[in-house]
Amino acid sequence: DAGITQSPRHKVTETGTPVTLRCHQTENHRYMYWYRQDPGHGLRLIHYSYGVKDTDKGEVSDGYSVSRSKTEDFLLTLESATSSQTSVYFCASGGPNTGELFFGEGSRLTVL
Amino acid sequence: TQLLEQSPQFLSIQEGENLTVYCNSSSVFSSLQWYRQEPGEGPVLLVTVVTGGEVKKLKRLTFQFGDARKDSSLHITAAQPGDTGLYLCAGARQTDSWGKFQFGAGTQVVVTP
């Protein structure tokens, strides 16, 4: 296991409130990712990071921001949550040396 | 429209039957990966294919990368209930940076005894 933990694992919030999801990895992987998973869509890339303070947008980045101040931590922020952001969010890490992505167990977010 | 199109979306078969899952794109990929995901867990890597035309075998699973590196297939021989899961293909386009991995929508496979 790559030692990736996500918090919180479950969260219920109201529309318009800010939400931050945290991802922590212990493998010193260079790359970290945030995906969301919805029925019929598989995993869709929100943002990813290729190093400390280096991030790039994915295919569904609107409404989300990220920060990476340390190699091991990657934060996903919803500035003002909407019901369309109800989803299961997965964090992953990896790099060219591993050639694969290691995933956390997911964070289920419900926006009422 | 997703970059990687998987078909079928759902497959239900009896134990012992064979099945094939497809992953197609109009883009060229540096490599393609296949993951399997079980309920309540994150995806886990099964294989990476890198060279056009490459065939890799993992016990009863056979993976093929298309000659043009735009598509891939996963074939399971004599499926077992333990093969049940969501199968996802993923890759980074040749024109993207290495790390920009995008996934298909997945194929849900159910194998009944």
Side-chain angles (χ1 to χ4, degrees), chain B residues 16-68:
Chain B
E17 294 181 337
N18 302 332
L19 69 97
T20 302
V21 175
Y22 299 93
C23 176
N24 295 291
S25 179
S26 58
S27 298
V28 177
F29 287 81
S30 305
S31 64
L32 275 179
Q33 298 184 326
W34 285 92
Y35 290 77
R36 183 169 67 201
Q37 184 181 20
E38 301 193 12
E41 300 180 5
V44 176
L45 181 71
L46 295 173
V47 79
T48 300
V49 285
V50 179
T51 306
E54 181 178 5
V55 177
K56 279 192 173 179
K57 293 193 175 184
L58 185 66
K59 297 183 181 179
R60 294 175 293 98
L61 279 61
T62 301
F63 304 85
Q64 187 162 6
F65 200 13
D67 291 341

Side-chain angles (χ1 to χ4, degrees), chain B residues 45-100:
Chain B
L45 181 71
L46 295 173
V47 79
T48 300
V49 285
V50 179
T51 306
E54 181 178 5
V55 177
K56 279 192 173 179
K57 293 193 175 184
L58 185 66
K59 297 183 181 179
R60 294 175 293 98
L61 279 61
T62 301
F63 304 85
Q64 187 162 6
F65 200 13
D67 291 341
R69 306 209 318 274
K70 294 182 178 182
D71 55 87
S72 181
S73 63
L74 157 61
H75 182 79
I76 302 179
T77 302
Q80 299 177 359
D83 295 324
T84 292
L86 179 67
Y87 289 83
L88 296 153
C89 64
R93 289 182 298 188
Q94 194 173 41
T95 53
D96 288 331
S97 58
W98 177 89
K100 196 170 184 177

Side-chain angles (χ1 to χ4, degrees), chain A residues 12-65:
Chain A
V12 180
T13 192
E14 295 187 348
T15 298
T17 60
V19 175
T20 296
L21 303 181
R22 292 173 172 78
C23 180
H24 179 79
Q25 56 109 350
T26 59
E27 298 298 311
N28 200 35
H29 289 156
R30 178 182 169 194
Y31 287 76
M32 295 187 75
Y33 303 79
W34 278 107
Y35 291 90
R36 60 178 289 176
Q37 187 168 37
D38 305 288
H41 290 280
L43 289 163
R44 290 185 290 176
L45 181 63
I46 304 172
H47 284 279
Y48 72 105
S49 169
Y50 48 94
V52 173
K53 297 186 180 179
D54 292 322
T55 65
D56 199 2
K57 296 179 179 180
E59 58 191 306
V60 290
S61 60
D62 288 348
Y64 302 95
S65 62

